[in-house]
Amino acid sequence: MRTNSRNFYLIPYVLWIALFVVTPLLLVLYYSFFDIEGAFTLENYRKFFTPVYLKMTLSSFWYAFLITLFSLLIAYPTAYLLTKTKHKQLWLLLIILPSWINLLLKAYAFLGIFGTYGAANSFLEAMGIGGRQILFTDFSFIFVSVYIFLPFMILPIFNSLDELNPTLFDASNDLGGSSWVTFKRVIFPLTLDGVKAGCQIVFIPALSLFMLTRLIAGNRVITLGTAIEQHFLVTQDWGMGSTIAVFLIIAMVLIMVLTGRRKRGIL
């Protein structure tokens, strides 16, 4: 009876997964075998392994790696300091709050900040450095991307740090461990699952960024997400766009498998 009841409650979940996860993936795979004329072909897959798309793939992974790296370098000490503050939940809420704002609105805000007459150039001129071309550069793209993804990196790391038993730090100090040794051998290994989760949350969507590459980088940064957008909306070559999406999905699955949590058994 209990088993039947549990299976009944699983029906909405299974239907949701089938309609909104499995079906779109199958459609993407299906369209990848057709050219722009609607004829069946394997040319899209051959074309993907040409230097143009391989360079685009390497570029996507490189920028995603940089965004994830800088996010991690900022997020870890921030999350650690948050666990030591008095009103840590309030501060965490204030950090997460900007993620509720629409991505497009934040992108347009940075267009004004980094523009020729924006706040950033005004500050540089006030400092005597003079105006600089900040917008439409790799720096502006990575800076804005890190700003957008940072809360998603902080949250899982904060949860991992907050769950640590404080007696572990005392034990390390009693055994003569310095602050660096305590961090390297106690804190970081025990929060590695939070770091992996944060890297997954940042790296995977960073691979498929396309709006920021257009608005902030001025199309100087070309990623797989940009190529998919161009093929679906501009060239109308849904087959090639779907082929790129297939490889992007495969890459995302591999990343999730490689960085997934592994349960250690008792030997």
Side-chain angles (χ1 to χ4, degrees):
M1 183 69 180
R2 184 178 298 177
T3 303
N4 292 335
S5 177
R6 184 173 59 184
N7 292 336
F8 176 78
Y9 288 117
L10 281 174
I11 293 176
Y13 172 77
V14 173
L15 287 176
W16 180 273
I17 294 297
L19 289 174
F20 300 107
V21 178
V22 177
T23 302
L25 292 178
L26 291 177
L27 283 173
V28 168
L29 181 62
Y30 171 77
Y31 280 114
S32 69
F33 292 105
F34 292 89
D35 60 18
I36 196 169
E37 302 295 335
F40 180 85
T41 182
L42 296 175
E43 181 65 18
N44 295 326
Y45 286 90
R46 188 201 66 78
K47 192 185 296 184
F48 182 83
F49 289 99
T50 57
V52 173
Y53 287 100
L54 290 178
K55 183 179 179 181
M56 198 180 301
T57 302
L58 291 175
S59 176
S60 298
F61 274 88
W62 173 244
Y63 282 109
F65 169 75
L66 289 178
I67 292 167
T68 305
L69 176 63
F70 287 124
S71 297
L72 178 60
L73 292 176
I74 298 172
Y76 203 101
T78 302
Y80 183 79
L81 290 174
L82 280 176
T83 60
K84 304 299 180 182
T85 57
K86 186 176 182 181
H87 304 288
K88 54 187 176 182
Q89 297 297 337
L90 175 61
W91 286 108
L92 182 64
L93 177 63
L94 293 175
I95 290 174
I96 296 174
L97 202 59
S99 65
W100 299 354
I101 301 173
N102 185 272
L103 178 61
L104 186 61
L105 292 177
K106 288 188 283 190
Y108 274 107
F110 275 103
L111 284 177
I113 294 172
F114 287 155
T116 305
Y117 303 103
N121 268 316
S122 297
F123 174 77
L124 292 177
E125 289 177 358
M127 295 293 293
I129 299 175
R132 292 289 187 274
Q133 176 62 40
I134 303 175
L135 202 59
F136 307 140
T137 61
D138 289 358
F139 166 79
S140 62
F141 171 68
I142 294 174
F143 184 94
V144 175
S145 300
V146 169
Y147 166 79
I148 289 171
F149 287 122
L150 193 58
F152 303 105
M153 179 70 81
I154 289 176
L155 187 58
I157 295 176
F158 171 84
N159 290 333
S160 296
L161 287 167
D162 199 42
E163 293 173 357
L164 288 181
N165 190 340
T167 58
L168 295 173
F169 307 147
D170 297 332
S172 177
N173 292 330
D174 291 341
L175 292 172
S178 62
S179 299
W180 170 246
V181 171
T182 301
F183 171 78
K184 185 173 67 173
R185 297 190 177 181
V186 179
I187 300 176
F188 188 76
L190 292 177
T191 58
L192 196 56
D193 285 337
V195 172
K196 288 181 178 180
C199 290
Q200 277 187 7
I201 296 170
V202 174
F203 190 90
I204 291 175
L207 267 179
S208 55
L209 281 174
F210 68 92
M211 187 176 64
L212 293 182
T213 59
R214 182 182 298 278
L215 295 176
I216 304 298
N219 280 340
R220 289 187 70 258
V221 176
I222 304 297
T223 63
L224 293 177
T226 309
I228 292 172
E229 182 207 18
Q230 290 291 316
H231 283 302
F232 273 96
L233 301 181
V234 180
T235 66
Q236 298 292 308
D237 189 355
W238 289 21
M240 193 62 218
S242 297
T243 303
I244 299 171
V246 167
F247 283 101
L248 195 57
I249 292 168
I250 293 172
M252 291 176 178
V253 171
L254 289 175
I255 292 166
M256 291 178 67
V257 171
L258 292 174
T259 60
R261 180 181 299 184
R262 292 179 174 84
K263 294 182 179 179
R264 296 184 178 90
I266 299 176
L267 298 178

